[in-house]
Amino acid sequence: VLVLGKHADGGSTQIDFINAVAPKVIIATGFPRRWSEQRDYGWKKEIQQGGYQLYLQSETGAVSIEEDSGGKLHCVPYIKERKGSL
């Protein structure tokens, strides 16, 4: 799981870094009010095309990570339209 904070100008949001880390899930803050810090549509599309499960908190709210009885982890967003497994 890679958790990305609000600052989009750091290296952790670059696709090369994300590919090197190769997380199964990315939980990212949504779209801050300041335009310079917004994650644009192209970034989101590139992440999704890379096969990563993306949870933008502006769309999902909080995301909990829960373990089932078999030891498998599941991401459970506050807004329930989206659920994924690790």
Side-chain angles (χ1 to χ4, degrees):
V1 176
L2 177 62
V3 178
L4 298 176
K6 68 176 187 165
H7 302 289
D9 61 349
S12 63
T13 61
Q14 301 300 317
I15 194 66
D16 291 338
F17 174 80
I18 291 169
N19 287 335
V21 173
K24 292 183 180 180
V25 173
I26 298 170
I27 300 171
T29 57
F31 292 90
R33 294 180 186 183
R34 289 180 28 204
W35 179 257
S36 64
E37 293 182 351
Q38 289 184 358
R39 302 190 196 294
D40 65 10
Y41 175 76
W43 179 86
K44 180 178 174 181
K45 186 176 178 181
E46 192 172 17
I47 295 299
Q48 291 171 329
Q49 288 176 339
Y52 304 108
Q53 290 182 32
L54 177 62
Y55 293 90
L56 283 177
Q57 290 185 300
S58 60
E59 299 172 359
T60 64
V63 178
S64 298
I65 300 174
E66 299 176 356
E67 183 177 6
D68 66 20
S69 61
K72 188 170 186 176
L73 298 176
H74 301 274
C75 291
V76 182
Y78 180 74
I79 299 172
K80 300 294 183 185
E81 285 112 28
R82 185 122 196 254
K83 183 175 182 177
S85 298
L86 301 177

